[in-house]
Amino acid sequence: MKHPISFFITVFSLCLVGIFFTGCSNTVPDIVALETLVIYDYTNLQEDPTQRLSVFAQSSGGSERIMELEVSFPEAKICWTIDKPLILNNGSKIWAGSANLMPPYFGSFPQGFPKGKYEVNYMDLAGETAQSQFYLAYEPVADPPLNQPIFSNQEEQPSNESSKDAAPSDDSSSEPIKKIAIFSQPDGKGTLLFFDKGRDDWKSFEDITKTYSKAKSLRISLDYPSRQVRYLLPAHNFESGAQ
């Protein structure tokens, strides 16, 4: 005959297990945040940039578990499928998505991405799905400051206009957020090793390779979050020595 206390402990433990699995099965992940930007990608500063859309999602169920993302513009029945999302970890948050969605160069939208309401659907590794929305209302900067220094010890190259004659800006976001993207290939491609504001102790390419031994090139990113735009400047090849 089982001891009453042992029997009670066994029953209580089974109840806890049942509650645990019931709670897990009822937990449905959700999209808690979206980061969306239209990217103007410069191969060189003598030609017009190409346009891309960047969409990254943060999930309550763990963004690293996102298996597939679908971005759509229902008004025109346009859809992009991201079957291998890029996972970005900035230390405090994990994002999954893509920065390489190309505009629909057909029909009513030959000039780029249509403005309006977009939908985002995702599926995680457990087969759970979630949906969210965002509004694309991007506004390009008329004269973005493309002559940017790479390192903090360098001065920005002067523009063609004198600052004295330049018209005052009525945009509170006129100053971009400058970030540096470091890549494993010399042409600004390959594995993304770093993407954030540059470190103060980085004064040269050699300083960067001391931290990231596989670094071969970098690109400067100028972000205007309130305008939903990013300007990605041409790649700087470490081996060329041009800084």
Short mmCIF file of all heavy atoms in Angstrom, two decimals, residues 132-174:
data_model
loop_
_atom_site.label_atom_id
_atom_site.label_comp_id
_atom_site.label_asym_id
_atom_site.label_seq_id
_atom_site.Cartn_x
_atom_site.Cartn_y
_atom_site.Cartn_z
N SER A 132 1.21 40.96 -38.53
CA SER A 132 1.25 42.34 -38.10
C SER A 132 1.17 43.23 -39.35
O SER A 132 1.13 42.73 -40.48
CB SER A 132 2.53 42.63 -37.32
OG SER A 132 2.50 43.93 -36.77
N GLN A 133 1.13 44.54 -39.13
CA GLN A 133 1.03 45.49 -40.23
C GLN A 133 1.99 46.65 -40.02
O GLN A 133 2.40 46.94 -38.91
CB GLN A 133 -0.39 46.05 -40.33
CG GLN A 133 -1.46 45.02 -40.59
CD GLN A 133 -2.87 45.63 -40.55
OE1 GLN A 133 -3.06 46.75 -40.08
NE2 GLN A 133 -3.83 44.90 -41.08
N PHE A 134 2.36 47.29 -41.11
CA PHE A 134 3.10 48.54 -41.02
C PHE A 134 2.71 49.42 -42.20
O PHE A 134 2.21 48.95 -43.22
CB PHE A 134 4.61 48.32 -40.98
CG PHE A 134 5.23 47.80 -42.25
CD1 PHE A 134 5.70 48.66 -43.24
CD2 PHE A 134 5.36 46.43 -42.46
CE1 PHE A 134 6.27 48.17 -44.41
CE2 PHE A 134 5.94 45.93 -43.62
CZ PHE A 134 6.40 46.81 -44.60
N TYR A 135 2.90 50.72 -42.03
CA TYR A 135 2.59 51.68 -43.07
C TYR A 135 3.88 52.25 -43.64
O TYR A 135 4.73 52.74 -42.90
CB TYR A 135 1.71 52.81 -42.52
CG TYR A 135 0.28 52.37 -42.24
CD1 TYR A 135 -0.04 51.74 -41.05
CD2 TYR A 135 -0.74 52.56 -43.18
CE1 TYR A 135 -1.34 51.32 -40.78
CE2 TYR A 135 -2.02 52.15 -42.93
CZ TYR A 135 -2.32 51.53 -41.73
OH TYR A 135 -3.61 51.11 -41.48
N LEU A 136 4.01 52.18 -44.95
CA LEU A 136 5.19 52.71 -45.61
C LEU A 136 4.84 54.09 -46.16
O LEU A 136 3.97 54.22 -47.04
CB LEU A 136 5.62 51.77 -46.74
CG LEU A 136 7.05 51.92 -47.24
CD1 LEU A 136 8.05 51.68 -46.11
CD2 LEU A 136 7.33 50.95 -48.38
N ALA A 137 5.47 55.11 -45.59
CA ALA A 137 5.21 56.48 -46.02
C ALA A 137 6.54 57.22 -46.15
O ALA A 137 6.70 58.34 -45.69
CB ALA A 137 4.30 57.19 -45.03
N TYR A 138 7.52 56.55 -46.75
CA TYR A 138 8.89 57.06 -46.78
C TYR A 138 9.02 58.36 -47.57
O TYR A 138 8.31 58.59 -48.55
CB TYR A 138 9.84 56.01 -47.32
CG TYR A 138 9.58 55.58 -48.76
CD1 TYR A 138 10.34 56.10 -49.80
CD2 TYR A 138 8.58 54.65 -49.07
CE1 TYR A 138 10.11 55.71 -51.12
CE2 TYR A 138 8.35 54.26 -50.37
CZ TYR A 138 9.10 54.79 -51.40
OH TYR A 138 8.87 54.41 -52.69
N GLU A 139 9.94 59.20 -47.11
CA GLU A 139 10.21 60.47 -47.77
C GLU A 139 11.71 60.61 -47.97
O GLU A 139 12.46 60.80 -47.01
CB GLU A 139 9.69 61.64 -46.94
CG GLU A 139 8.17 61.69 -46.81
CD GLU A 139 7.48 61.99 -48.14
OE1 GLU A 139 8.15 62.56 -49.04
OE2 GLU A 139 6.29 61.66 -48.27
N PRO A 140 12.23 60.51 -49.19
CA PRO A 140 13.67 60.66 -49.43
C PRO A 140 14.16 62.05 -49.07
O PRO A 140 13.41 63.02 -49.10
CB PRO A 140 13.83 60.37 -50.91
CG PRO A 140 12.49 60.20 -51.48
CD PRO A 140 11.48 60.23 -50.41
N VAL A 141 15.43 62.13 -48.69
CA VAL A 141 16.07 63.41 -48.37
C VAL A 141 16.51 64.06 -49.68
O VAL A 141 17.10 63.41 -50.54
CB VAL A 141 17.27 63.19 -47.43
CG1 VAL A 141 17.98 64.51 -47.12
CG2 VAL A 141 16.81 62.52 -46.14
N ALA A 142 16.22 65.36 -49.81
CA ALA A 142 16.53 66.05 -51.06
C ALA A 142 18.02 66.07 -51.37
O ALA A 142 18.44 65.85 -52.51
CB ALA A 142 15.98 67.48 -51.00
N ASP A 143 18.85 66.30 -50.37
CA ASP A 143 20.30 66.38 -50.59
C ASP A 143 21.01 65.69 -49.43
O ASP A 143 21.58 66.35 -48.56
CB ASP A 143 20.72 67.85 -50.69
CG ASP A 143 22.17 68.01 -51.12
OD1 ASP A 143 22.72 67.05 -51.69
OD2 ASP A 143 22.75 69.07 -50.85
N PRO A 144 21.01 64.38 -49.40
CA PRO A 144 21.64 63.66 -48.28
C PRO A 144 23.15 63.90 -48.23
O PRO A 144 23.79 64.04 -49.28
CB PRO A 144 21.33 62.19 -48.57
CG PRO A 144 21.10 62.13 -50.04
CD PRO A 144 20.48 63.45 -50.41
N PRO A 145 23.74 63.95 -47.04
CA PRO A 145 25.19 64.21 -46.91
C PRO A 145 26.01 62.96 -47.22
O PRO A 145 26.41 62.21 -46.32
CB PRO A 145 25.32 64.62 -45.44
CG PRO A 145 24.20 63.90 -44.76
CD PRO A 145 23.07 63.83 -45.74
N LEU A 146 26.28 62.75 -48.49
CA LEU A 146 26.92 61.51 -48.92
C LEU A 146 28.44 61.52 -48.73
O LEU A 146 29.06 60.46 -48.73
CB LEU A 146 26.59 61.25 -50.39
CG LEU A 146 25.09 61.14 -50.73
CD1 LEU A 146 24.91 60.87 -52.22
CD2 LEU A 146 24.42 60.04 -49.90
N ASN A 147 29.05 62.69 -48.60
CA ASN A 147 30.51 62.76 -48.41
C ASN A 147 30.86 62.63 -46.93
O ASN A 147 31.21 63.60 -46.26
CB ASN A 147 31.05 64.08 -48.97
CG ASN A 147 30.89 64.15 -50.47
OD1 ASN A 147 31.14 63.19 -51.17
ND2 ASN A 147 30.47 65.31 -50.97
N GLN A 148 30.74 61.42 -46.45
CA GLN A 148 30.92 61.16 -45.02
C GLN A 148 32.32 60.63 -44.71
O GLN A 148 32.84 59.79 -45.45
CB GLN A 148 29.89 60.14 -44.54
CG GLN A 148 28.47 60.66 -44.47
CD GLN A 148 28.27 61.55 -43.27
OE1 GLN A 148 28.81 61.33 -42.18
NE2 GLN A 148 27.48 62.60 -43.46
N PRO A 149 32.94 61.09 -43.63
CA PRO A 149 34.20 60.47 -43.19
C PRO A 149 33.92 59.09 -42.60
O PRO A 149 32.84 58.84 -42.07
CB PRO A 149 34.70 61.43 -42.11
CG PRO A 149 33.46 62.03 -41.56
CD PRO A 149 32.50 62.16 -42.72
N ILE A 150 34.88 58.21 -42.72
CA ILE A 150 34.69 56.86 -42.18
C ILE A 150 34.90 56.83 -40.68
O ILE A 150 34.12 56.24 -39.93
CB ILE A 150 35.65 55.87 -42.87
CG1 ILE A 150 35.39 55.85 -44.37
CG2 ILE A 150 35.50 54.48 -42.28
CD1 ILE A 150 36.38 55.01 -45.14
N PHE A 151 35.96 57.50 -40.24
CA PHE A 151 36.34 57.43 -38.82
C PHE A 151 36.18 58.79 -38.14
O PHE A 151 36.17 59.83 -38.80
CB PHE A 151 37.79 56.93 -38.69
CG PHE A 151 38.02 55.60 -39.33
CD1 PHE A 151 38.70 55.50 -40.55
CD2 PHE A 151 37.52 54.45 -38.76
CE1 PHE A 151 38.90 54.27 -41.15
CE2 PHE A 151 37.72 53.21 -39.36
CZ PHE A 151 38.40 53.12 -40.55
N SER A 152 36.06 58.75 -36.83
CA SER A 152 35.78 59.96 -36.06
C SER A 152 36.93 60.95 -36.07
O SER A 152 36.75 62.12 -35.77
CB SER A 152 35.44 59.58 -34.61
OG SER A 152 36.51 58.86 -34.03
N ASN A 153 38.14 60.49 -36.43
CA ASN A 153 39.30 61.39 -36.46
C ASN A 153 39.45 62.10 -37.80
O ASN A 153 40.39 62.83 -38.02
CB ASN A 153 40.59 60.62 -36.16
CG ASN A 153 40.85 59.53 -37.18
OD1 ASN A 153 39.93 58.88 -37.66
ND2 ASN A 153 42.11 59.29 -37.51
N GLN A 154 38.50 61.85 -38.72
CA GLN A 154 38.54 62.50 -40.02
C GLN A 154 37.45 63.56 -40.10
O GLN A 154 36.40 63.45 -39.47
CB GLN A 154 38.32 61.46 -41.14
CG GLN A 154 39.41 60.39 -41.21
CD GLN A 154 39.05 59.33 -42.22
OE1 GLN A 154 37.90 59.00 -42.41
NE2 GLN A 154 40.06 58.79 -42.88
N GLU A 155 37.70 64.59 -40.90
CA GLU A 155 36.72 65.63 -41.09
C GLU A 155 35.86 65.30 -42.30
O GLU A 155 36.33 64.73 -43.28
CB GLU A 155 37.40 66.99 -41.30
CG GLU A 155 38.16 67.48 -40.08
CD GLU A 155 38.76 68.85 -40.32
OE1 GLU A 155 38.57 69.38 -41.43
OE2 GLU A 155 39.40 69.39 -39.40
N GLU A 156 34.58 65.70 -42.21
CA GLU A 156 33.68 65.50 -43.34
C GLU A 156 34.11 66.37 -44.50
O GLU A 156 34.47 67.53 -44.34
CB GLU A 156 32.25 65.84 -42.93
CG GLU A 156 31.23 65.60 -44.04
CD GLU A 156 29.81 65.84 -43.57
OE1 GLU A 156 29.61 65.98 -42.36
OE2 GLU A 156 28.92 65.91 -44.44
N GLN A 157 34.07 65.79 -45.72
CA GLN A 157 34.44 66.55 -46.90
C GLN A 157 33.42 67.65 -47.16
O GLN A 157 32.21 67.44 -46.99
CB GLN A 157 34.49 65.62 -48.13
CG GLN A 157 35.52 64.53 -47.99
CD GLN A 157 35.50 63.62 -49.19
OE1 GLN A 157 35.06 64.01 -50.26
NE2 GLN A 157 35.97 62.40 -49.03
N PRO A 158 33.85 68.84 -47.54
CA PRO A 158 32.89 69.94 -47.74
C PRO A 158 31.97 69.66 -48.92
O PRO A 158 32.36 69.04 -49.90
CB PRO A 158 33.80 71.14 -48.03
CG PRO A 158 35.08 70.55 -48.55
CD PRO A 158 35.25 69.25 -47.82
N SER A 159 30.73 70.11 -48.78
CA SER A 159 29.78 69.95 -49.88
C SER A 159 29.98 71.08 -50.88
O SER A 159 30.74 72.00 -50.66
CB SER A 159 28.34 69.98 -49.34
OG SER A 159 28.09 71.23 -48.73
N ASN A 160 29.24 71.03 -51.99
CA ASN A 160 29.37 72.06 -53.02
C ASN A 160 28.81 73.39 -52.56
O ASN A 160 29.20 74.44 -53.04
CB ASN A 160 28.65 71.61 -54.30
CG ASN A 160 29.34 70.40 -54.91
OD1 ASN A 160 30.54 70.24 -54.76
ND2 ASN A 160 28.57 69.56 -55.59
N GLU A 161 27.84 73.33 -51.63
CA GLU A 161 27.22 74.55 -51.15
C GLU A 161 27.89 75.02 -49.88
O GLU A 161 28.27 74.23 -49.04
CB GLU A 161 25.73 74.31 -50.87
CG GLU A 161 24.85 74.30 -52.09
CD GLU A 161 23.39 74.26 -51.67
OE1 GLU A 161 23.03 73.34 -50.94
OE2 GLU A 161 22.63 75.16 -52.06
N SER A 162 28.02 76.32 -49.73
CA SER A 162 28.51 76.88 -48.49
C SER A 162 27.43 76.76 -47.44
O SER A 162 26.25 76.97 -47.72
CB SER A 162 28.87 78.35 -48.69
OG SER A 162 29.09 78.98 -47.45
N SER A 163 27.81 76.38 -46.22
CA SER A 163 26.83 76.25 -45.16
C SER A 163 26.16 77.58 -44.87
O SER A 163 25.03 77.64 -44.39
CB SER A 163 27.50 75.72 -43.89
OG SER A 163 28.54 76.59 -43.48
N LYS A 164 26.82 78.69 -45.18
CA LYS A 164 26.26 80.02 -44.94
C LYS A 164 25.08 80.26 -45.88
O LYS A 164 24.11 80.92 -45.54
CB LYS A 164 27.32 81.08 -45.15
CG LYS A 164 26.85 82.50 -44.81
CD LYS A 164 27.93 83.53 -45.16
CE LYS A 164 29.20 83.28 -44.39
NZ LYS A 164 30.23 84.32 -44.65
N ASP A 165 25.19 79.74 -47.11
CA ASP A 165 24.16 79.98 -48.11
C ASP A 165 23.08 78.92 -48.11
O ASP A 165 22.05 79.08 -48.77
CB ASP A 165 24.79 80.04 -49.50
CG ASP A 165 25.82 81.16 -49.60
OD1 ASP A 165 25.65 82.17 -48.90
OD2 ASP A 165 26.80 80.99 -50.35
N ALA A 166 23.33 77.83 -47.42
CA ALA A 166 22.38 76.72 -47.43
C ALA A 166 21.11 77.12 -46.70
O ALA A 166 21.13 77.79 -45.67
CB ALA A 166 22.99 75.49 -46.77
N ALA A 167 19.96 76.69 -47.25
CA ALA A 167 18.68 77.02 -46.63
C ALA A 167 18.52 76.21 -45.35
O ALA A 167 18.90 75.04 -45.28
CB ALA A 167 17.54 76.69 -47.60
N PRO A 168 17.93 76.79 -44.31
CA PRO A 168 17.72 76.05 -43.08
C PRO A 168 16.74 74.92 -43.28
O PRO A 168 15.79 75.04 -44.06
CB PRO A 168 17.15 77.11 -42.12
CG PRO A 168 16.56 78.16 -43.01
CD PRO A 168 17.43 78.17 -44.23
N SER A 169 16.97 73.83 -42.60
CA SER A 169 16.10 72.66 -42.75
C SER A 169 14.90 72.78 -41.82
O SER A 169 15.02 73.21 -40.69
CB SER A 169 16.88 71.39 -42.43
OG SER A 169 16.01 70.28 -42.40
N ASP A 170 13.72 72.39 -42.33
CA ASP A 170 12.54 72.39 -41.49
C ASP A 170 12.22 71.00 -40.99
O ASP A 170 11.15 70.72 -40.49
CB ASP A 170 11.33 72.95 -42.28
CG ASP A 170 11.05 72.16 -43.55
OD1 ASP A 170 11.81 71.22 -43.84
OD2 ASP A 170 10.07 72.48 -44.24
N ASP A 171 13.17 70.09 -41.16
CA ASP A 171 12.99 68.70 -40.73
C ASP A 171 13.81 68.44 -39.48
O ASP A 171 15.03 68.60 -39.49
CB ASP A 171 13.42 67.76 -41.86
CG ASP A 171 13.24 66.30 -41.48
OD1 ASP A 171 12.55 66.02 -40.49
OD2 ASP A 171 13.82 65.45 -42.17
N SER A 172 13.14 68.02 -38.41
CA SER A 172 13.83 67.78 -37.14
C SER A 172 14.78 66.59 -37.23
O SER A 172 15.62 66.40 -36.37
CB SER A 172 12.80 67.53 -36.03
OG SER A 172 11.98 66.41 -36.35
N SER A 173 14.62 65.78 -38.30
CA SER A 173 15.48 64.60 -38.44
C SER A 173 16.54 64.83 -39.51
O SER A 173 16.94 63.91 -40.21
CB SER A 173 14.63 63.38 -38.80
OG SER A 173 13.98 63.58 -40.04
N SER A 174 16.98 66.09 -39.69
CA SER A 174 17.92 66.40 -40.76
C SER A 174 19.27 65.75 -40.54
O SER A 174 20.01 65.53 -41.48
CB SER A 174 18.08 67.92 -40.90
OG SER A 174 18.54 68.47 -39.67
#
